[in-house]
Structure formats: C-alpha cells, structure tokens
Amino acid sequence: LLNEILTSQTSLTSKQHETPYAESLYQLLWSKNADILGFSSLAESFQALRDCPRTRADLLEVSEHTQASANAALPPQLPFPCPLEMHGAYSRQEIFAAFGKATFEKQSSNREGVMHLHDINASLHLFTFNKSKKFFSETTSYRDYPISQTLIHWESQSNTSRSSPVGQKYLSQAETDYKVLLFARIENKIGKLSSPLCYLGPATFIKATGDNPISMVWELETPMPYDFFIEAKRASGVS
C-alpha cells in the first residue's frame, strides 16, 4: 500500500483506504491522532508525505528494500481479516489499528499486555522476553520464554484466575475456538525508542499450571524464526 501511494501519478482516492492496511500504515507513519496533526482524512495525511520530495524518496527506498529482503511465512487461516504479515515487525498502535482498536481519529489507550477482541472471539497477547528491572516491576515480570521454536511458556496477568471468564476462555479454547494471537519482542526498547513486536501468529493452548497468574504453554501454528528464537532464549535467561 505504501509503495502504491508514493508512486501513484494520480490523486489519492478513497478506494486506496478501503483496506485494513490503511489505518495500520497511518499509525506507522504518523503515530498521532489526526486532530493533533491537523489532518481531516487519511488521504490528506498520505498526500502530505507525497508532497515532501525528501520524505517520499526515503520512504520509497525503505519500502523497496523491505520488499526485496522480505521472507514472510505463509499467512495463517483465520476466521477474521488480519492484514499483518507473519513475522513482520509492528508497533502496538499498528497492531491495534489492524483490528480496529486504533484509528485515524484516536489511538488506543491500552497499555497492558493483553487486548481482548470480544467481537471476533479473540485476544492479542503482547509481551517482552527480557524483563529488565528498568522497565518491569516485580508484579509485571511475568515468566514468558520460548521452550522451542513452536512452544512458548506464558503467564497470564496476576489477577486472572482459572475460574474467571478470561481464564475459562484460555482453558476451554478447543471447545470455543477462541483465537489467541501472539506478538513478542526481545527488548522493551532500542535506545530511546520502543521496540517493535514480531507477529508470531495464532497459538493453541497446550497445558496450564498454577493460578493468579496462570502459567500456560502455547503452541505456535508457525515456528518462530530461528534467529529470533535464539535471541529470545538468551533474553529470557533460558539455557
């Protein structure tokens, strides 16, 4: 979509925004509410980039390099639209925008590691492997780590019990076809910037132990990239 917008020789039309990619692209490029930036439409925000030759050239170079080096896995089969590419790197707002929870007008205020999407019977799990004391308190240092390229140990939020509605969604996933999409990153930040999250795709519940929080093992439908797996093991202290 970015390449299409930047290289089009005609005026931007609403058709270019009738795609789930548009809101996520806006979050990637601007990361602020429209009223703060003074835009009245998505087309206007994208046109502003086209009207700046240097910015347009830089974005085209990045886009072309990314497409040339992309090696994305096949997208999983989901019962709802998902514009995200497997193993792609995304900011929180890009992820939320992909599911309609962040928009051109308003960013999501969610700061937690789980977002429940009741309308599509799914949830997004966002977590960091390196639980540095600089960014995580004792109560939020959940034990999230890779067991293998397909298995991940993950802990629920501390107030989630097995008998709670959320706990039951996880434990009865096979019966309810509840979808859990995992997004992970190695570090919380790169320098002063928040690290993007790698889209690991849908996961199947395998087993659980404990309560408040619940310790769970999830099996990925698509194995995580090997280099990412090795880095995740190192960051989470798994030998």
Side-chain angles (χ1 to χ4, degrees), residues 9-178:
Q9 300 301 311
T10 59
S11 299
L12 296 177
T13 66
S14 60
K15 288 186 177 181
Q16 289 170 305
H17 311 129
E18 295 173 359
T19 163
Y21 287 99
E23 292 282 4
S24 290
L25 179 60
Y26 173 82
Q27 294 297 334
L28 170 66
L29 297 172
W30 294 106
S31 299
K32 288 185 179 180
N33 294 347
D35 58 344
I36 295 175
L37 298 170
F39 297 131
S40 60
S41 67
L42 282 170
E44 187 178 341
S45 73
F46 295 146
Q47 187 63 52
L49 299 173
R50 289 178 25 147
D51 290 342
C52 180
R54 180 174 295 180
T55 299
R56 181 175 182 173
D58 288 346
L59 287 174
L60 274 173
E61 185 176 347
V62 171
S63 176
E64 291 167 359
H65 172 75
T66 301
Q67 290 184 29
S69 59
N71 188 27
L74 292 175
Q77 295 298 310
L78 295 170
F80 46 79
C82 177
L84 306 178
E85 291 188 357
M86 282 297 299
H87 304 153
Y90 300 96
S91 69
R92 291 174 65 90
Q93 294 300 326
E94 282 182 89
I95 295 167
F96 296 153
F99 297 95
K101 301 304 178 182
T103 66
F104 173 67
E105 291 83 9
K106 187 176 181 179
Q107 289 194 314
S108 169
S109 59
N110 182 292
R111 293 293 179 267
E112 298 181 344
V114 175
M115 174 176 275
H116 298 286
L117 307 173
H118 303 293
D119 54 330
I120 58 173
N121 194 36
S123 62
L124 312 177
H125 292 191
L126 288 64
F127 55 95
T128 305
F129 286 115
N130 185 357
K131 298 296 194 299
S132 166
K133 292 182 179 179
K134 182 177 180 181
F135 301 109
F136 296 88
S137 67
E138 186 175 341
T139 57
T140 59
S141 294
Y142 302 113
R143 294 172 61 242
D144 306 325
Y145 58 85
I147 299 170
S148 68
Q149 280 184 261
T150 55
L151 296 177
I152 291 179
H153 181 280
W154 178 86
E155 280 190 337
S156 70
Q157 293 168 302
S158 57
N159 61 352
T160 302
S161 67
R162 286 170 172 258
S163 60
S164 68
V166 173
Q168 284 299 301
K169 282 183 179 291
Y170 297 148
L171 301 179
S172 62
Q173 186 198 37
E175 292 77 33
T176 62
D177 198 29
Y178 187 71

Side-chain angles (χ1 to χ4, degrees), residues 205-222:
F205 171 77
I206 300 298
K207 63 179 181 178
T209 57
D211 209 0
N212 297 100
I214 312 170
S215 295
M216 287 172 264
V217 174
W218 296 95
E219 183 174 24
L220 296 171
E221 183 177 306
T222 304

